[in-house]
């Protein structure tokens, strides 16, 4: 749902090569691909198309014949996550001319993946420690301490004179 819209907007505004993203299995969180291999998206079938994926994507050994309406008659191999063995997409080996753009690409189901945009982290630890004291700032502090001691000494002398 929301992932599809966000991905579609980000891809159309910047192009897939400009957004550093990592794609994770929504089942187990293992890394499946990144935006360096992202070729595009096919919103009709809710898939993202990759030229390369990580070694965590297993390609099935058995070719299957599709019987769904959007890719009827295509030969494909199932893609599974090596972390949790869930089916995460397909790689098409034989397609009609209208689907040639999908052939030999890793078609990952949008519902099976989550994305993380690099650089999107915003939480930071705010250190309560001040900057380390340098020699210059230490000398200036020492000078201020000496001035304060002198002022306190004068005040103490005046106070003792008043009390006497």
């Amino acid at each position: 749902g929301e992932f599809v819209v966000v991905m579609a907007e980000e891809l159309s505004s910047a192009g897939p090569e400009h957004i550093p993203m990592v794609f994770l299995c929504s089942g187990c969180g293992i890394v499946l691909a990144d935006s360096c291999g992202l070729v595009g998206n096919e919103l009709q079938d809710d898939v993202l198309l990759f030229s390369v994926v990580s070694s965590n994507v297993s390609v099935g050994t058995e070719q299957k014949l599709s019987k769904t309406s959007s890719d009827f008659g295509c030969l494909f191999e199932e893609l599974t996550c090596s972390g949790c063995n869930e089916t995460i997409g397909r790689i098409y080996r034989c397609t009609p001319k209208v689907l040639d753009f999908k052939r030999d690409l890793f078609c990952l189901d949008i519902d099976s993946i989550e994305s993380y945009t690099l650089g999107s982290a915003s939480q930071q630890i705010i250190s309560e420690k001040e900057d380390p004291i340098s020699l210059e700032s230490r000398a200036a502090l020492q000078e201020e301490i000496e001035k304060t001691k002198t002022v306190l000494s004068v005040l103490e002398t005046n106070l003792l004179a008043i009390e006497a």
Side-chain angles (χ1 to χ4, degrees), residues 21-25 30-38 50-57 106 108 113-116:
M21 299 180 93
V22 176
F23 298 92
L24 314 165
C25 173
I30 201 167
V31 174
L32 300 175
D34 61 48
S35 55
C36 294
L38 183 60
F50 294 87
S51 57
V52 293
V53 292
S54 81
S55 58
N56 298 323
V57 175
F106 297 91
L108 299 185
I113 56 179
E114 293 179 14
S115 69
Y116 176 77

Side-chain angles (χ1 to χ4, degrees), residues 2-157:
E2 184 181 331
F3 177 84
V4 177
V5 173
V6 170
M7 277 302 305
E9 287 172 1
E10 289 180 357
L11 289 173
S12 63
S13 65
E17 67 281 358
H18 300 300
I19 306 167
M21 299 180 93
V22 176
F23 298 92
L24 314 165
C25 173
S26 58
C28 68
I30 201 167
V31 174
L32 300 175
D34 61 48
S35 55
C36 294
L38 183 60
V39 177
N41 57 1
E42 223 291 272
L43 294 179
Q44 177 186 341
D45 293 332
D46 287 344
V47 296
L48 294 181
L49 309 172
F50 294 87
S51 57
V52 293
V53 292
S54 81
S55 58
N56 298 323
V57 175
S58 299
V59 179
T61 54
E62 176 189 340
Q63 287 197 346
K64 299 181 178 185
L65 184 64
S66 176
K67 294 178 175 66
T68 58
S69 62
S70 63
D71 60 359
F72 187 83
C74 292
L75 283 178
F76 68 92
E77 293 156 6
E78 277 190 342
L79 300 175
T80 56
C81 170
S82 63
C84 62
N85 287 325
E86 287 296 314
T87 300
I88 55 172
R90 297 176 169 187
I91 185 165
Y92 291 94
R93 299 301 188 182
C94 182
T95 56
K97 204 169 201 67
V98 296
L99 295 178
D100 276 354
F101 69 96
K102 282 186 179 182
R103 190 181 317 137
D104 296 324
L105 290 177
F106 297 91
C107 304
L108 299 185
D109 298 324
I110 287 176
D111 293 337
S112 301
I113 56 179
E114 293 179 14
S115 69
Y116 176 77
T117 303
L118 298 181
S120 66
S122 60
Q123 183 170 318
Q124 294 179 349
I125 295 176
I126 298 168
S127 175
E128 292 182 20
K129 296 178 182 175
E130 294 296 321
D131 291 338
I133 298 176
S134 65
L135 285 175
E136 296 82 17
S137 61
R138 181 180 175 156
L141 279 173
Q142 196 66 43
E143 191 178 316
E144 287 299 315
I145 290 171
E146 292 305 320
K147 285 181 187 175
T148 306
K149 281 182 179 177
T150 305
V151 170
L152 282 174
S153 178
V154 170
L155 287 174
E156 185 182 23
T157 305

